[in-house]
Amino acid sequence: MPVSGTLNAQPDPLPHYVCLAGPTASGKTAAALVIARAHPVEIISVDSALVYRGMDVGTAKPSAAELAAVPHHLINIRDPLQAYSAAEFVQDAQTLIGQIAARGRLPLLVGGTMLYFKALFEGMDPMPQAQPALRAAIAAQAQSQGWPALHAELAKVDPVTAARLAPADSQRIQRALEVFRVSGLPLSHFHKRSTAYAPTNVPLISLEPLDRAWLHARIAQRFDAMLEAGFLDEVRALRARGDLNPELPSMRCVGYRQAWDMLDGVGDMAHLRERGVAATRQLAKRQITWLRSMPQRQVVNCQEADAAQQVLRAVENAMARDPKA
């Protein structure tokens, strides 16, 4: 059973909860709302982009009607200037799981940020806080040498992390190097499994496609819909604040960095679409790779017309197996 409390102490068991994961554009929000119409649940978002206020279109944030239909948590809790870590997510999610269960409702964790799920399931040591000056120095080094060179540097000090990152994954390479330079420890050290957190019966239902081309088509359709819904205007408004920059974690979210570049004069709308769709496909690939490393997951084919109903049945089966649900 997963646990709550501090990240290092032996914590108390958490109440029952259910997790719904999947790559972007796999239908998680729709499936969650089907569950909410059938059972008293509250949704805890497991999404590192949905935490940011003012970033609605480009993150495919649930609509106002969807947010009003069922209580949602961990959405719109940070300004784009602020960071939000996996360790903070674990603390917030553990607190919310207890509060929701105390209200007699089922905590339903829904999202695609797999590091958050992993941190909740397995625990993680608190990582060093962000160091703006060091980040700027790493960014300057990348400007002169290129991110592949920094990826090679990372491979020397943290081969485990480097092996799972693409040479152009600037955000994660920067953070991994920052952690190492501050602590002298590889990022992978902070992600080591803690058996105190290992789940034994937490249902993890995963919406995954059998045909990757099907997901790619959905991703392209979603990106086109975002552009039509005013995604560029949203990024223009964020830029107009004057206090944001493309190196912030919020502005490195998929789509936002590409839109920022275009507004800086890099390419045209066709180029933005191409880069945005490609970046989203890469995100989906990483998400599926993470999911396949989680042996407890129960896969539902998101291509099926009744995928949401299959997810509902899986949740109901999990509830029936646990008398506390």
Side-chain angles (χ1 to χ4, degrees), residues 83-103:
Y84 188 66
S85 69
E88 289 174 303
F89 166 79
V90 170
Q91 293 173 337
D92 290 343
Q94 289 173 344
T95 299
L96 286 164
I97 288 168
Q99 292 172 345
I100 294 167
R103 290 191 284 269

Side-chain angles (χ1 to χ4, degrees), residues 12 17 28-29 101 142 144 163 242 311:
D12 297 325
Y17 63 95
K28 297 182 294 295
T29 296
S144 63
V311 170

Side-chain angles (χ1 to χ4, degrees), residues 255-275:
Y256 286 86
R257 181 62 180 269
Q258 291 77 23
W260 191 291
D261 287 346
M262 198 209 82
L263 293 173
D264 272 344
V266 179
D268 55 13
M269 284 293 293
H271 186 57
L272 166 61
R273 182 186 185 276
E274 179 183 354
R275 292 183 66 215

Side-chain angles (χ1 to χ4, degrees), residues 27-296:
K28 297 182 294 295
T29 296
L33 292 174
V34 167
I35 297 167
R37 286 193 288 269
H39 298 283
V41 305
E42 295 188 28
I43 294 172
I44 299 174
S45 171
V46 189
D47 191 302
S48 60
L50 297 189
V51 301
Y52 294 115
R53 295 185 289 271
M55 295 173 58
D56 304 332
V57 179
T59 62
K61 193 172 290 178
S63 67
E66 290 169 337
L67 292 173
V70 56
H72 284 71
H73 304 276
L74 302 188
I75 294 178
N76 295 328
I77 62 170
R78 290 288 189 276
D79 183 85
L81 265 178
Q82 300 171 305
Y84 188 66
S85 69
E88 289 174 303
F89 166 79
V90 170
Q91 293 173 337
D92 290 343
Q94 289 173 344
T95 299
L96 286 164
I97 288 168
Q99 292 172 345
I100 294 167
R103 290 191 284 269
R105 304 171 75 87
L106 176 68
L108 177 62
L109 280 70
V110 182
T113 300
M114 303 310 164
L115 176 59
Y116 286 8
F117 279 120
K118 181 178 176 66
L120 181 62
F121 293 162
E122 301 179 2
M124 60 190 300
D125 291 333
M127 286 188 286
Q129 294 294 316
Q131 305 287 327
L134 179 55
R135 286 194 173 188
I138 295 172
Q141 182 183 353
Q143 184 72 26
S144 63
Q145 300 178 12
W147 285 108
L150 270 69
H151 182 268
E153 177 183 330
L154 179 63
K156 296 177 182 178
V157 298
D158 186 359
V160 174
T161 299
R164 64 178 179 81
L165 299 182
D169 193 344
S170 58
Q171 179 179 355
R172 292 173 178 82
I173 294 170
Q174 183 185 51
R175 178 56 176 159
L177 285 172
E178 177 189 24
V179 167
F180 179 79
R181 293 182 186 181
V182 169
S183 68
L185 295 170
L187 184 66
S188 53
H189 166 85
F190 298 93
H191 293 172
K192 286 182 178 178
R193 185 180 183 85
S194 169
T195 55
Y197 287 82
T200 57
N201 61 349
V202 176
L204 173 61
I205 302 157
S206 180
L207 280 165
E208 300 176 30
L210 295 183
D211 179 7
R212 196 70 62 89
W214 178 90
L215 186 63
H216 288 175
R218 292 258 299 186
I219 287 170
Q221 291 166 6
R222 172 180 281 191
F223 200 82
D224 288 340
M226 288 177 179
L227 291 174
E228 293 175 7
F231 176 43
L232 268 181
D233 289 337
E234 181 173 87
V235 179
R236 286 191 184 99
L238 292 165
R239 285 165 58 98
R241 288 177 35 157
D243 58 350
L244 302 178
N245 66 76
E247 298 306 318
L248 289 168
S250 59
M251 293 300 99
R252 288 181 170 182
C253 290
V254 167
Y256 286 86
R257 181 62 180 269
Q258 291 77 23
W260 191 291
D261 287 346
M262 198 209 82
L263 293 173
D264 272 344
V266 179
D268 55 13
M269 284 293 293
H271 186 57
L272 166 61
R273 182 186 185 276
E274 179 183 354
R275 292 183 66 215
V277 169
T280 310
R281 286 183 177 183
Q282 291 168 1
L283 169 63
K285 181 179 179 179
R286 292 194 300 269
Q287 290 169 317
I288 292 171
T289 299
W290 273 94
L291 282 165
R292 289 176 175 170
S293 72
M294 298 178 178
Q296 75 272 35

